[in-house]
Structures are given as structure tokens and as C-alpha cells.
Amino acid sequence: MTRNHPSTRPERRKPAGATAMRLVVPLQGVVQGRGGLILGSLIPCALFYFLQFYMKRHRSPKPSSDPPSPSTSSSNLPELTRTSSRSSLSTRGSFGPARVSTRASSIAKQTDSLYYVGLDKVKEDPYHRTDNPDGIIQLGLSENSLCLDLIEKWVLENLTDSIMGTNGGDLSISGIAMYQPFDGMMELKVAMAGFMSQVMGQRVSFDPSQIILTAGATPAVEILSFCLADHGNAFLVPTPYYPGFDRDVRLRTGVELIPVHCRSSDNFIVSISALDQAFNQTRKRGLKVRGILISNPANPVGNILPRETIYDLLDFAREKNIHIISDEIYGGCTYGSEEFISMAEILDSEDFDKSRVHIVYGLSKDLSLPGFRVGVIYSYNESVLAAAKKLTRFSSISALTQRLLVPMLSDTKFIQEYIETNRRRIKKLCNSFVAGLKQLGIKCADSNAGLYCWADMSELIPSYSEKGELELWDKLLNIAKINVTPGSACHCIEPGWFRCCFTTLAQEDIPVVIERIRRVAETSKSSS
Amino acid sequence: MLSRKASCDAHGQDSSYFLGWQAYENNPYHQVDNPSGIIQMGLAENQLSFDLLESWLASNPDAVGMKRNGESVFKELALFQDYHGLPAFKNELVKLMSKIRGDKAKFDPKKLVLTAGATSANETLMFCLADPGEAFLLPTPYYPGFDRDLKWRPDVEIVPIHCSSSNGFRITMPALEEAYERAQRLNLKVKGVLVTNPSNPLGTTLTRDELNHLITFAIAKRIHIMSDEIYSGTVFDSPRFISITEAVMDRNLEDTDLWSRIHIVYSLSKDLGLPGFRVGMIYSNNETVVAAATKMSSFGLISSQTQFLLANMLADKKFTCKYMKENGKRLKKRMEMLVSGLKMAGVRCLKSNAGLFCWVDMRHLLVSNTFEAEKELWKKIIFEVGLNISPGSSCHCTEPGWFRVCFANMSEDTLQVSLRRIKAFVESNISGCSQQQQRRGSIIGKWVSKLSSSDPEPDR
């Protein structure tokens, strides 16, 4: 057994060893001879192992099973730790039966954002003009039932012919029962390309071969996230944003969403300097930014991105070598004076790098068919299209529904009538609603699109903070009995803003809503 | 510019299973237009009973037209996107599941999660049961799509449980233990076993013994059992289908820990022949799994229009009874046609009682007992014989020479054509004659070059 020479080794040893050596030498002085040697060796060894054990216990990854406290300014989804089973095999191997995955535990337990809490509450006590006039009025669901009567009429007149042809062939059941291309039937892609063009005012044409069809816009966003970013990468998202993005992007992909705060002074339009700052800060944290995720028309604000801003975004993306995902699902719900400009329109007419732009679309808002699950990925990037196509294996549209939609979307006359009527009805309701709020002294952001308005109720909140905002939200839900979406659920940096969806209301309901808000507004004003 | 996942090949689409498809897509057989084309025998689709479905649809215009008692429910369906699913549909599905299991177990609609197809169900369940880097044990041979469903996005490893022809590819306790130990040596944490029952590609139902081995093993190792029972309604012969649920109940284990580790995947793609409708589901006794899977199902909900139509169809008990019975008869007849035809060519099959395919033994046709020889034989069968069948290696079979041959996705006449071709091929192979090669020779050159240049089609 050789004697250790502390003078030659301490700087290369682990701290435990160095400490141990500082014990050996004096011990050997105290306990003479071999005894000292043995003790001097045993004690540092014991210390060394004890220290290793101590460090291991405090270093091993803890599964994130505790949901965070419901803070709505940051996302309600806990950090999804990527536990490496290989490294923790020894600590987890024999303790109890196989549990579910870390992911499942955190998703199942997480306290829902207020966005979902409100939706659930309405389900328990939904307002009905005659049957339940004291029920909760739903203003938290961005759904459009204003023109369902038109679609219903079309379906009743055309359905049986479209689904079941009487002479077999293409229209027999085998045509829809069998396996179809997972990214959608070509006929539907063609019809969808035409529909998208029509909805966006015929100012741009879409190529069916660049379309991937998915079971709703929700999987479209997730699929793009899987294609464009790795686990642990990030997307920049201007706030306030649609609360569903937290789920769509983060639930399974492990991609982070970095908020880029926008201000009312800019009408919540994102600035390049804010994007730049967020990009740099994210990089400093060691996260790689892979793209920007925007909604245009915006949700929850309802405004349309100006042309200049789109140019700036494209330049920024090129400079940083990142992607842009443009969720244009409200592209047809425009009712104001401004025209909606799709990314596609810009790319068609200007010379920008197309390979980094990907558009998400769907029929849930423009055509009021959320139940049928129809979404679109439109990309100029062949590799993205190839990868996304494979991923539609997990999220395909039912062939039965595809067959219904082909003739409907191709019926250009019907679609034109629908688009115009839809815009008219949204505009009418919007004007009434916004005017009603104005009477209460509540102003709305300047918006031209969407199924909602973005209302500034900051004067009514008890304290200019998220807490104050939530107190008002609670009052609105439980006393006024209206469900609206608080800005904090959308990650808005300025407290007091609320998204109010009015397209599930009838004209007669608006005075009821305004009156209920008035009562709460008065008590709020008098108490502040 | 793309993510690692988008650029890698964990989707498995480049495996031979899918390449054969591409050859078929380029030169599909047609009785009149292309009689020398390749016959698709690699697609496990049930086309035998479309007439029954068609007649039901024709006599139920309300269900097709989204009406209830003559009143339109279109608006309600158009707006229905609740990830808990249409209650009426789930109620009917659990009743159907019960019926297929001989009413030996009752199922609770609250434990059922709907997904857009069984592929989505398998992937979602994997996200819920295992963390990235963990592993599941799968008996070989197994459905090639599992490589994609488990490994690609969920990042779960597959450790094969080796089964051999010596006992009809049955799962044995030693095989389970050996697989588990192999996983340990690879430093992989095993979270569960995934079995397909009835088996794809074997076409057999798991025996009581196999089920008991699985249960004992799962208890001992404290792991999950995932049972893909997508073919449970295609059982056309004895022995009858025994679900994992039944086997666990028969051992009085409902009140134990194991009960919450039993998960079933089901779908209407095979039993009702409706793969285009995208209807799959997860059934789990585990609350956490149901809660998490329900939220994840947002990424693949079933169209409300489809849910409504099928709720009505399944509620018509007279129809479903008649369908299952008649469908079973037709499947059996087809299977027997294929088996006897192959027998005449001197080719044997594993005895099967379920599924839409047979597990065919072509070991005697290999030049050597190797996978290279199997690949050579497979290429010959595609390009010389003109049949797209699935080689055992794509199913991770440990023994070369086995092939999965589907019989339910074509007409009787087409099946007869394929049998004649096989017979001719086998005879020429045995006699050493090269006439066959000369006739089909031109196809090889043409399609080998196309095969190497285009993208493979997605699987089915």
C-alpha cells in the first residue's frame, strides 16, 4: 500500500479526496505505525463514499410530479423534464411498480389555465334565453355559429348525393371506407386550395401540392413544431397569444415558447426590437430559437398584421435563419376596413425566402366546422412537406368528412355567399357589442378580424396587477355570470385586458351581457 | 433547417415492408387493364363486406344525413369538438367491445379515449406509459408500424421477445425473461410488454397459457401490459378470443395493482373494414392514463360526423350481429382458399384462426437459411411472380423464410390468380426451370430502377 502524497495530488483530486488526505497525514502522526496507516486510509475512504452518496442523493433528477401554483402570467404547464432513464436506472429500478410516464403524470395533474376553467364552468350552467336565463353566458369560446344555418341548408340539399352515389364507382362506400392517403385526398386538397384563395379575397392562389391536411389546426401546429424544432429548442411568440398554443406546441414536443411582449401603445403589434431582444435573451439562456409563431389575424387581439410588419418579420427570420409559422385560421373572419394579407400573398409577389414560411389554416373558424376536424399545413419547403406528410399518419381527417367537404368547398357560389354573409353578421354583432361596452366606458383594441373583441377593463380592476385582473375575472364569472378570457391566460403583459367572443350570441343577448357587466362595473368602480 | 426527428428515419418508412408497396403502386394489378401487374397482398385491409355496410347506409339516411328522428342535428355536430367524445358513440363502442369478448367483461365508457385511428392510440398510449429512452418488450414477429408508433416521437425503445416456429411462435416464459435480461444489459428500463392479440402477422389468438405467462411476468417485474386487440372482431375459428381483461379477471386480479397497468387498444379499421374513417381508441383502467390520453387526443380527434354515423350503426344490434357473423364466415372461406391453394403448391402456413392474413412458411424455397436469401426470394416474388407480400424480416422475425400474405383486400378471382402464380413459381423454382424468369425479366429492370429513385409510400 503506497502512501499518498498530498503535495503532488490535491489539485487533481475531487474535494472529498483532498479533504481526506488532509486527515491522513495528521492521523498518521497521531496513531503511530500501521494502525495509523490503516485508520488514515479507512477514514478518508469512508468520508469519500459518504460524500459521493450525499451528492448523488441531491443530484438525481426529480420527476416533476408537483403541479406549479396556478400562476397564469407564465404558462400553466410545468417544465417537462426529460428524465434519462439510463442515468437514473439504479435509483428507480426497484422502487415500486412501473408508473406512467413523467409526461402523463404532469399532464393529468396540471391545474388548467383559467381559459379552460371558465369553459368548464359554463358547461355546468349554460345560459339559455328562455330555459335558463340566469345561466352563465359564454364569451370565452371563439366559435362562430352565425352562419351555420347556411351550411346546414347546403348539407341538407346536397349531402346524400355527395356521400352515397347511387351507382357505385367513385362514390361507393369502398371509396371512403378504405385507407386513404394520410395527408388527405387530392380532391380535397384541390378544393381546399380554391377555398383558401376565395376566403382571402382571391388575392393569392394556393398550390394543392403544397397542402397537407390534418385532423384540425391543433395537430397542424404540433406537427410543424416536431418538424422544425428539437426537444429543448424554442419558438418566439408575440403576446398576448392564444392559450391553446401552450398545449399545441409544448405538450409533447418539448419545445419552449418564449413570449415577446407587445404593448397597447402599439396596438399589440410586435416590434422587431422586442423580437431581437427576446432572441438574444433566449440565446443567453442556452436555448436555440428555431422559429417565430404568429397568429394573423391575431388571437386574442383581432388585428391584422400590417404589410410592413410582415416584411420586417421575414427579414428578421432570414437574418436569424429561423422559421415562421403563421396561423391564419381567422383569415376569412375579417369584417373591418383593412384587408387581410396572407403570408402567401407576400411570398407570391415579393422576393423573400419561401422555404422558412409555413402557414396553418383550418375550417373551424371560417366555416364553423370545428367538430369535423379539418386543418391545413401549407408550406413552401419540400422537406417539411415530406416530414409533415408522414406525421399525418397520426392525425388524418375522416374520409367520410373529406367526401362531404369536397363538393361544399368547390361550390364557389355557395362559398361566396357564405363568406359575405358571415362577414356582414360578424360586423353587425361586433359593432353592437363594442358600442355596448363603450357605453360602460370600456374601450376595445382596434380590431378588424376574429370572432371576439379585446376589451380594456383595467379601470375596473381593484389593483393594476394580475391579481386584480383575476379578481375581476372571478366576479364576472360568478356574479355577472359571463365567461370571458382574462389577458393573463393569454400571457398579456398589461393587466386588465379581456377577450370577449361575441359570435355565439344572438343580437338580443347583447343587452343582457352589457347589463350584467354594468352591474359588476358599478360595484367595481365604487369600491376602488 | 429541420429538426432531428424530421430528418431521421425512425419513422421506419424506408423498411422493406413499405418498399414493396411502392413497387405495387407503380405497377398495380388490374383484372382488365393490367393483368400482369403486381397483386397487392401486403395490405391488411378487409374489403370482403362492403356490400353489408353499403346496404345499411342506404337504408339509414338519417344517420348519413346527420338527423335524429328526422330533425337535423347538423349544427350540434358541426360545433362538437369535446375531447371526451360523443357519449352515444362511446356507449356503443364499449358494448361492441364487450360483445366481441363474449360478454365476459363489461367496459366503462369513462375509461375509453377516442383517437384518430389505432396508430394514434398506440402512439398516445406510449407517450403516457414511457419516458424517452425507456423500453417496451414486443414478441416477434410484430407489426412493422410499431417501430414508427413507439420509437419516432415517443422515443421509446423496442426490445424484441424472440419467438420461434418450433412452438408456433408462442410466447414462453423463458423468452420473456431472456428479453428482460437483454434489456437490462442494454441499460434500458422496461416499462411494459406490448402484445397484439390476435397477432399481426401470425393471425393467431393468444392462448390461455401465453396470457398467464404475460400476467405472471408483468406482476413479477411490475410492468404494464398493453394489448393491441384491433383484430379481435376478425376471429373466424376456434379457439375463441380471450382478451387480456378476461385472463386477468379469471385470476381474480381486479383488485390488485396490476389492474391499473392493463391497457387495450382497439379500432374499427379491421373489424368493420373502415380504416378510412380513422376510428381508434384506448381503454385503460388507469385514471392518470385516461386523463392524460384524453388531453393528448386533441391532436387526433374523430370527426363528429363520423362518430354520429357510427353510433347509429353500432346501435343497430341486428346489423352488427349479422355483420360480424357474415364477415367472419367470409374471412374463414378466404383464408381456407389461400391455405389450400398454397398447400397445392407445396407451401405451408401457420394454422390461424383470426386476422386478414396468413403467416406463410417459405423456408424451403430459400437458397440458404439467411435473411439475404429471404430478401432475394422476396424480390423474386415481387418482380417475377408479381405479388407484394411482406417479408418476415420487416416484422423482425428471427427466422428467415416466413412471409405475411393478406387475403381480404382483393376479389376471389384475384386471389385465384395469385395462387396460380405462386404454384407456377414454386414448380419452376423446384424444377430449376427459368421460363418464369424470362417472362418477368423485363419487369425487373423497369421497376428496380423506379424503386431506387422514388419516395416510399406511407404504410397501411
Side-chain angles (χ1 to χ4, degrees), chain A residues 410-428:
Chain A
S410 310
D411 189 343
T412 47
K413 196 158 154 266
F414 162 70
I415 295 297
Q416 198 56 37
E417 185 204 334
Y418 175 88
I419 292 171
E420 283 163 11
T421 313
N422 191 36
R423 289 204 172 117
R424 238 186 5 251
R425 291 181 185 177
I426 297 177
K427 186 172 183 175
K428 186 158 176 249

PDB file of all heavy atoms in Angstrom, chain A residues 410-428:
ATOM      1  N   SER A 410     -65.976  23.264 -53.134  1.00  0.00           N
ATOM      2  CA  SER A 410     -65.880  23.527 -54.568  1.00  0.00           C
ATOM      3  C   SER A 410     -67.059  24.328 -55.089  1.00  0.00           C
ATOM      4  O   SER A 410     -67.033  24.813 -56.216  1.00  0.00           O
ATOM      5  CB  SER A 410     -65.811  22.211 -55.351  1.00  0.00           C
ATOM      6  OG  SER A 410     -64.834  21.362 -54.820  1.00  0.00           O
ATOM      7  N   ASP A 411     -68.094  24.439 -54.262  1.00  0.00           N
ATOM      8  CA  ASP A 411     -69.289  25.181 -54.671  1.00  0.00           C
ATOM      9  C   ASP A 411     -69.013  26.664 -54.485  1.00  0.00           C
ATOM     10  O   ASP A 411     -69.405  27.271 -53.482  1.00  0.00           O
ATOM     11  CB  ASP A 411     -70.472  24.699 -53.807  1.00  0.00           C
ATOM     12  CG  ASP A 411     -71.794  25.257 -54.305  1.00  0.00           C
ATOM     13  OD1 ASP A 411     -71.801  26.238 -55.080  1.00  0.00           O
ATOM     14  OD2 ASP A 411     -72.845  24.720 -53.896  1.00  0.00           O
ATOM     15  N   THR A 412     -68.327  27.247 -55.446  1.00  0.00           N
ATOM     16  CA  THR A 412     -67.830  28.620 -55.286  1.00  0.00           C
ATOM     17  C   THR A 412     -68.945  29.628 -55.057  1.00  0.00           C
ATOM     18  O   THR A 412     -68.781  30.593 -54.318  1.00  0.00           O
ATOM     19  CB  THR A 412     -66.981  29.046 -56.501  1.00  0.00           C
ATOM     20  OG1 THR A 412     -67.698  28.683 -57.691  1.00  0.00           O
ATOM     21  CG2 THR A 412     -65.645  28.355 -56.504  1.00  0.00           C
ATOM     22  N   LYS A 413     -70.096  29.380 -55.659  1.00  0.00           N
ATOM     23  CA  LYS A 413     -71.200  30.312 -55.489  1.00  0.00           C
ATOM     24  C   LYS A 413     -71.666  30.293 -54.030  1.00  0.00           C
ATOM     25  O   LYS A 413     -71.839  31.348 -53.397  1.00  0.00           O
ATOM     26  CB  LYS A 413     -72.354  29.900 -56.409  1.00  0.00           C
ATOM     27  CG  LYS A 413     -73.393  30.957 -56.613  1.00  0.00           C
ATOM     28  CD  LYS A 413     -74.186  30.723 -57.912  1.00  0.00           C
ATOM     29  CE  LYS A 413     -75.577  31.352 -57.789  1.00  0.00           C
ATOM     30  NZ  LYS A 413     -76.640  30.462 -57.337  1.00  0.00           N
ATOM     31  N   PHE A 414     -71.827  29.086 -53.491  1.00  0.00           N
ATOM     32  CA  PHE A 414     -72.249  28.961 -52.103  1.00  0.00           C
ATOM     33  C   PHE A 414     -71.198  29.575 -51.185  1.00  0.00           C
ATOM     34  O   PHE A 414     -71.524  30.324 -50.257  1.00  0.00           O
ATOM     35  CB  PHE A 414     -72.471  27.485 -51.751  1.00  0.00           C
ATOM     36  CG  PHE A 414     -72.494  27.219 -50.271  1.00  0.00           C
ATOM     37  CD1 PHE A 414     -73.566  27.661 -49.496  1.00  0.00           C
ATOM     38  CD2 PHE A 414     -71.457  26.551 -49.640  1.00  0.00           C
ATOM     39  CE1 PHE A 414     -73.597  27.448 -48.126  1.00  0.00           C
ATOM     40  CE2 PHE A 414     -71.477  26.326 -48.273  1.00  0.00           C
ATOM     41  CZ  PHE A 414     -72.545  26.780 -47.515  1.00  0.00           C
ATOM     42  N   ILE A 415     -69.939  29.286 -51.432  1.00  0.00           N
ATOM     43  CA  ILE A 415     -68.867  29.790 -50.581  1.00  0.00           C
ATOM     44  C   ILE A 415     -68.843  31.328 -50.608  1.00  0.00           C
ATOM     45  O   ILE A 415     -68.689  31.980 -49.572  1.00  0.00           O
ATOM     46  CB  ILE A 415     -67.501  29.215 -51.006  1.00  0.00           C
ATOM     47  CG1 ILE A 415     -67.466  27.704 -50.782  1.00  0.00           C
ATOM     48  CG2 ILE A 415     -66.359  29.884 -50.226  1.00  0.00           C
ATOM     49  CD1 ILE A 415     -67.601  27.253 -49.338  1.00  0.00           C
ATOM     50  N   GLN A 416     -69.044  31.894 -51.770  1.00  0.00           N
ATOM     51  CA  GLN A 416     -69.037  33.358 -51.875  1.00  0.00           C
ATOM     52  C   GLN A 416     -70.154  33.958 -51.033  1.00  0.00           C
ATOM     53  O   GLN A 416     -69.950  34.902 -50.267  1.00  0.00           O
ATOM     54  CB  GLN A 416     -69.198  33.781 -53.343  1.00  0.00           C
ATOM     55  CG  GLN A 416     -68.788  35.207 -53.636  1.00  0.00           C
ATOM     56  CD  GLN A 416     -67.359  35.498 -53.204  1.00  0.00           C
ATOM     57  OE1 GLN A 416     -66.461  34.667 -53.318  1.00  0.00           O
ATOM     58  NE2 GLN A 416     -67.146  36.692 -52.667  1.00  0.00           N
ATOM     59  N   GLU A 417     -71.335  33.376 -51.178  1.00  0.00           N
ATOM     60  CA  GLU A 417     -72.490  33.856 -50.406  1.00  0.00           C
ATOM     61  C   GLU A 417     -72.204  33.706 -48.923  1.00  0.00           C
ATOM     62  O   GLU A 417     -72.481  34.602 -48.113  1.00  0.00           O
ATOM     63  CB  GLU A 417     -73.724  33.027 -50.799  1.00  0.00           C
ATOM     64  CG  GLU A 417     -75.010  33.518 -50.158  1.00  0.00           C
ATOM     65  CD  GLU A 417     -76.060  32.412 -50.072  1.00  0.00           C
ATOM     66  OE1 GLU A 417     -75.999  31.461 -50.909  1.00  0.00           O
ATOM     67  OE2 GLU A 417     -76.932  32.486 -49.173  1.00  0.00           O
ATOM     68  N   TYR A 418     -71.629  32.563 -48.571  1.00  0.00           N
ATOM     69  CA  TYR A 418     -71.332  32.304 -47.168  1.00  0.00           C
ATOM     70  C   TYR A 418     -70.342  33.338 -46.616  1.00  0.00           C
ATOM     71  O   TYR A 418     -70.576  33.918 -45.552  1.00  0.00           O
ATOM     72  CB  TYR A 418     -70.758  30.888 -47.008  1.00  0.00           C
ATOM     73  CG  TYR A 418     -70.315  30.613 -45.604  1.00  0.00           C
ATOM     74  CD1 TYR A 418     -71.213  30.117 -44.669  1.00  0.00           C
ATOM     75  CD2 TYR A 418     -69.020  30.905 -45.194  1.00  0.00           C
ATOM     76  CE1 TYR A 418     -70.831  29.903 -43.357  1.00  0.00           C
ATOM     77  CE2 TYR A 418     -68.641  30.704 -43.880  1.00  0.00           C
ATOM     78  CZ  TYR A 418     -69.539  30.206 -42.980  1.00  0.00           C
ATOM     79  OH  TYR A 418     -69.158  30.008 -41.680  1.00  0.00           O
ATOM     80  N   ILE A 419     -69.263  33.568 -47.351  1.00  0.00           N
ATOM     81  CA  ILE A 419     -68.217  34.481 -46.859  1.00  0.00           C
ATOM     82  C   ILE A 419     -68.795  35.878 -46.628  1.00  0.00           C
ATOM     83  O   ILE A 419     -68.554  36.510 -45.593  1.00  0.00           O
ATOM     84  CB  ILE A 419     -67.043  34.557 -47.859  1.00  0.00           C
ATOM     85  CG1 ILE A 419     -66.305  33.221 -47.906  1.00  0.00           C
ATOM     86  CG2 ILE A 419     -66.060  35.659 -47.471  1.00  0.00           C
ATOM     87  CD1 ILE A 419     -65.286  33.134 -49.011  1.00  0.00           C
ATOM     88  N   GLU A 420     -69.592  36.330 -47.603  1.00  0.00           N
ATOM     89  CA  GLU A 420     -70.141  37.686 -47.489  1.00  0.00           C
ATOM     90  C   GLU A 420     -71.123  37.795 -46.326  1.00  0.00           C
ATOM     91  O   GLU A 420     -71.072  38.758 -45.550  1.00  0.00           O
ATOM     92  CB  GLU A 420     -70.816  38.090 -48.803  1.00  0.00           C
ATOM     93  CG  GLU A 420     -69.805  38.478 -49.873  1.00  0.00           C
ATOM     94  CD  GLU A 420     -70.413  38.482 -51.266  1.00  0.00           C
ATOM     95  OE1 GLU A 420     -71.673  38.391 -51.383  1.00  0.00           O
ATOM     96  OE2 GLU A 420     -69.654  38.571 -52.242  1.00  0.00           O
ATOM     97  N   THR A 421     -71.989  36.787 -46.195  1.00  0.00           N
ATOM     98  CA  THR A 421     -72.980  36.814 -45.116  1.00  0.00           C
ATOM     99  C   THR A 421     -72.278  36.737 -43.762  1.00  0.00           C
ATOM    100  O   THR A 421     -72.627  37.450 -42.813  1.00  0.00           O
ATOM    101  CB  THR A 421     -73.955  35.629 -45.238  1.00  0.00           C
ATOM    102  OG1 THR A 421     -74.394  35.528 -46.584  1.00  0.00           O
ATOM    103  CG2 THR A 421     -75.140  35.788 -44.313  1.00  0.00           C
ATOM    104  N   ASN A 422     -71.284  35.876 -43.701  1.00  0.00           N
ATOM    105  CA  ASN A 422     -70.529  35.705 -42.466  1.00  0.00           C
ATOM    106  C   ASN A 422     -69.919  37.022 -42.014  1.00  0.00           C
ATOM    107  O   ASN A 422     -70.051  37.423 -40.847  1.00  0.00           O
ATOM    108  CB  ASN A 422     -69.420  34.662 -42.702  1.00  0.00           C
ATOM    109  CG  ASN A 422     -68.750  34.225 -41.424  1.00  0.00           C
ATOM    110  OD1 ASN A 422     -69.374  34.104 -40.381  1.00  0.00           O
ATOM    111  ND2 ASN A 422     -67.460  33.985 -41.497  1.00  0.00           N
ATOM    112  N   ARG A 423     -69.297  37.723 -42.951  1.00  0.00           N
ATOM    113  CA  ARG A 423     -68.648  38.994 -42.623  1.00  0.00           C
ATOM    114  C   ARG A 423     -69.660  40.019 -42.151  1.00  0.00           C
ATOM    115  O   ARG A 423     -69.453  40.727 -41.175  1.00  0.00           O
ATOM    116  CB  ARG A 423     -67.909  39.534 -43.852  1.00  0.00           C
ATOM    117  CG  ARG A 423     -66.691  38.734 -44.198  1.00  0.00           C
ATOM    118  CD  ARG A 423     -65.675  39.532 -44.979  1.00  0.00           C
ATOM    119  NE  ARG A 423     -64.464  38.732 -45.086  1.00  0.00           N
ATOM    120  CZ  ARG A 423     -63.947  38.290 -46.228  1.00  0.00           C
ATOM    121  NH1 ARG A 423     -64.524  38.587 -47.379  1.00  0.00           N
ATOM    122  NH2 ARG A 423     -62.850  37.577 -46.225  1.00  0.00           N
ATOM    123  N   ARG A 424     -70.785  40.054 -42.855  1.00  0.00           N
ATOM    124  CA  ARG A 424     -71.832  41.010 -42.511  1.00  0.00           C
ATOM    125  C   ARG A 424     -72.323  40.783 -41.097  1.00  0.00           C
ATOM    126  O   ARG A 424     -72.443  41.700 -40.291  1.00  0.00           O
ATOM    127  CB  ARG A 424     -73.007  40.854 -43.486  1.00  0.00           C
ATOM    128  CG  ARG A 424     -73.340  42.112 -44.243  1.00  0.00           C
ATOM    129  CD  ARG A 424     -74.574  42.032 -45.111  1.00  0.00           C
ATOM    130  NE  ARG A 424     -75.368  40.857 -45.074  1.00  0.00           N
ATOM    131  CZ  ARG A 424     -75.438  39.957 -46.073  1.00  0.00           C
ATOM    132  NH1 ARG A 424     -74.682  40.096 -47.147  1.00  0.00           N
ATOM    133  NH2 ARG A 424     -76.242  38.901 -45.970  1.00  0.00           N
ATOM    134  N   ARG A 425     -72.608  39.526 -40.790  1.00  0.00           N
ATOM    135  CA  ARG A 425     -73.179  39.204 -39.480  1.00  0.00           C
ATOM    136  C   ARG A 425     -72.176  39.438 -38.356  1.00  0.00           C
ATOM    137  O   ARG A 425     -72.524  39.921 -37.283  1.00  0.00           O
ATOM    138  CB  ARG A 425     -73.693  37.766 -39.457  1.00  0.00           C
ATOM    139  CG  ARG A 425     -74.909  37.567 -40.342  1.00  0.00           C
ATOM    140  CD  ARG A 425     -75.440  36.160 -40.303  1.00  0.00           C
ATOM    141  NE  ARG A 425     -76.528  35.972 -41.256  1.00  0.00           N
ATOM    142  CZ  ARG A 425     -77.148  34.813 -41.473  1.00  0.00           C
ATOM    143  NH1 ARG A 425     -76.778  33.737 -40.791  1.00  0.00           N
ATOM    144  NH2 ARG A 425     -78.122  34.732 -42.351  1.00  0.00           N
ATOM    145  N   ILE A 426     -70.902  39.091 -38.603  1.00  0.00           N
ATOM    146  CA  ILE A 426     -69.890  39.317 -37.571  1.00  0.00           C
ATOM    147  C   ILE A 426     -69.780  40.821 -37.319  1.00  0.00           C
ATOM    148  O   ILE A 426     -69.747  41.290 -36.176  1.00  0.00           O
ATOM    149  CB  ILE A 426     -68.507  38.766 -37.975  1.00  0.00           C
ATOM    150  CG1 ILE A 426     -68.535  37.247 -38.147  1.00  0.00           C
ATOM    151  CG2 ILE A 426     -67.472  39.123 -36.915  1.00  0.00           C
ATOM    152  CD1 ILE A 426     -67.209  36.662 -38.607  1.00  0.00           C
ATOM    153  N   LYS A 427     -69.747  41.576 -38.402  1.00  0.00           N
ATOM    154  CA  LYS A 427     -69.575  43.027 -38.272  1.00  0.00           C
ATOM    155  C   LYS A 427     -70.715  43.650 -37.474  1.00  0.00           C
ATOM    156  O   LYS A 427     -70.486  44.478 -36.577  1.00  0.00           O
ATOM    157  CB  LYS A 427     -69.518  43.656 -39.670  1.00  0.00           C
ATOM    158  CG  LYS A 427     -69.188  45.129 -39.627  1.00  0.00           C
ATOM    159  CD  LYS A 427     -68.953  45.665 -41.020  1.00  0.00           C
ATOM    160  CE  LYS A 427     -68.539  47.148 -40.902  1.00  0.00           C
ATOM    161  NZ  LYS A 427     -68.189  47.722 -42.169  1.00  0.00           N
ATOM    162  N   LYS A 428     -71.905  43.205 -37.774  1.00  0.00           N
ATOM    163  CA  LYS A 428     -73.074  43.768 -37.100  1.00  0.00           C
ATOM    164  C   LYS A 428     -73.002  43.509 -35.604  1.00  0.00           C
ATOM    165  O   LYS A 428     -73.149  44.414 -34.770  1.00  0.00           O
ATOM    166  CB  LYS A 428     -74.333  43.142 -37.691  1.00  0.00           C
ATOM    167  CG  LYS A 428     -75.633  43.720 -37.206  1.00  0.00           C
ATOM    168  CD  LYS A 428     -76.786  43.435 -38.204  1.00  0.00           C
ATOM    169  CE  LYS A 428     -78.092  43.958 -37.627  1.00  0.00           C
ATOM    170  NZ  LYS A 428     -79.034  42.911 -37.238  1.00  0.00           N
TER     171      LYS A 428
END
